[in-house]
Amino acid sequence: DAGITQSPRYKITETGRQVTLMCHQTWSHSYMFWYRQDLGHGLRLIYYSAAADITDKGEVPDGYVVSRSKTENFPLTLESATRSQTSVYFCASSPIPEGGNNEQFFGPGTRLTVL
Amino acid sequence: AQTVTQSQPEMSVQEAETVTLSCTYDTSESDYYLFWYKQPPSRQMILVIRQEAYKQQNATENRFSVNFQKAAKSFSLKISDSQLGDAAMYFCAYRRFGNEKLTFGTGTRLTIIP
């Protein structure tokens, strides 16, 4: 199906383990984003990517790693999970803006719990 | 850095009534975009309405409209004829022209009272 998907939808892990959250979009959008949602903070940008092999930090990048070898995939890795990384993670994508106004399309989110 | 403030953590409204959600933002830019996103219990983020800062006319999408006051840096969302399906978290967001990154507010949880 066309759209943006995330996997897994739910994940429980332990402190210190490596975790990878997957994001896949079928629109061939150039831009992809990772946000985390926490109560009292709204959504905060972790990393984003303007194209394959181009990534940049957002507001809260510490403890996370991203890669983008293919346009359609943008995995987010927690190299050594901490309890403070318990959150809901959203992936989003958007096309190259035409006329300036550009909508981001969001995936369904992954709820990650770090014990 | 740009900041977006939603000062109402929770709001409630009677079904069929009108409710206004507040949003203020801080920026030194003149060209930017503002958005309202809806997040129902399903957690899916849904774009409700958007406004280009260079447009003086307030955006409208069916029962949803905004009151955009550029000088005051205010961007409120009005929901008319509230329906049960409007119950959700609503997030205000800002994006600078030429930059794809969104900055979100902390959200307002809207409850619809039958």
Side-chain angles (χ1 to χ4, degrees):
Chain A
D1 288 345
I4 182 166
T5 57
Q6 295 183 234
S7 61
R9 295 293 310 278
Y10 300 89
K11 177 72 175 179
I12 299 174
T13 190
E14 295 178 340
T15 301
R17 290 190 179 268
Q18 183 179 75
V19 177
T20 295
L21 309 184
M22 304 301 293
C23 179
H24 176 78
Q25 52 104 357
T26 60
W27 293 304
S28 298
H29 284 170
S30 292
Y31 288 89
M32 296 188 76
F33 309 83
W34 275 106
Y35 296 90
R36 59 177 290 174
Q37 181 179 8
D38 304 288
L39 194 63
H41 291 279
L43 279 77
R44 292 179 292 175
L45 183 65
I46 304 171
Y47 269 96
Y48 68 103
S49 169
D53 297 322
I54 301 174
T55 62
D56 206 350
K57 296 178 180 179
E59 181 184 354
V60 289
D62 293 345
Y64 303 95
V65 175
V66 293
S67 62
R68 195 161 176 213
S69 58
K70 293 184 178 181
T71 299
E72 61 267 30
N73 296 326
F74 191 39
L76 175 73
T77 298
L78 289 66
E79 292 190 304
S80 178
T82 65
R83 290 180 181 172
S84 65
Q85 293 177 310
T86 293
S87 187
V88 179
Y89 291 85
F90 285 95
C91 180
S93 72
S94 64
I96 293 175
E98 295 180 7
N101 199 348
N102 212 19
E103 178 180 351
Q104 284 188 21
F105 297 87
F106 285 80
T110 294
R111 181 178 293 277
L112 175 67
T113 301
V114 183
L115 303 176
Chain B
Q2 293 82 17
T3 58
V4 178
T5 302
Q6 293 180 250
S7 59
Q8 307 153 315
E10 297 182 350
M11 293 278 288
S12 61
V13 63
Q14 292 275 358
E15 191 176 3
E17 296 295 309
T18 296
V19 64
T20 298
L21 309 184
S22 300
C23 173
T24 59
Y25 57 95
D26 185 26
T27 183
S28 58
E29 304 291 334
S30 58
D31 292 332
Y32 51 87
Y33 305 95
L34 297 164
F35 306 84
W36 279 99
Y37 278 88
K38 170 185 178 181
Q39 186 182 45
S42 67
R43 226 166 49 198
Q44 183 68 49
M45 293 288 288
I46 302 165
L47 179 64
V48 175
I49 199 165
R50 65 183 129 198
Q51 174 80 42
E52 293 91 341
Y54 64 85
K55 289 186 178 179
Q56 292 187 333
Q57 185 174 6
N58 290 325
T60 299
E61 290 286 344
N62 300 314
R63 296 182 295 107
F64 299 87
S65 61
V66 299
N67 184 5
F68 173 49
Q69 301 289 328
K70 191 172 184 178
K73 297 180 182 177
S74 171
F75 183 60
S76 61
L77 175 69
K78 186 172 80 171
I79 306 174
S80 304
D81 186 25
S82 297
Q83 300 176 359
L84 295 177
D86 295 333
M89 281 288 287
Y90 286 82
F91 291 97
C92 179
Y94 165 98
R95 182 170 72 82
R96 179 169 60 89
F97 180 81
N99 188 316
E100 296 306 300
K101 296 184 287 185
L102 284 172
T103 300
F104 285 88
T106 53
T108 296
R109 181 174 300 280
L110 179 64
T111 301
I112 310 297
I113 303 168

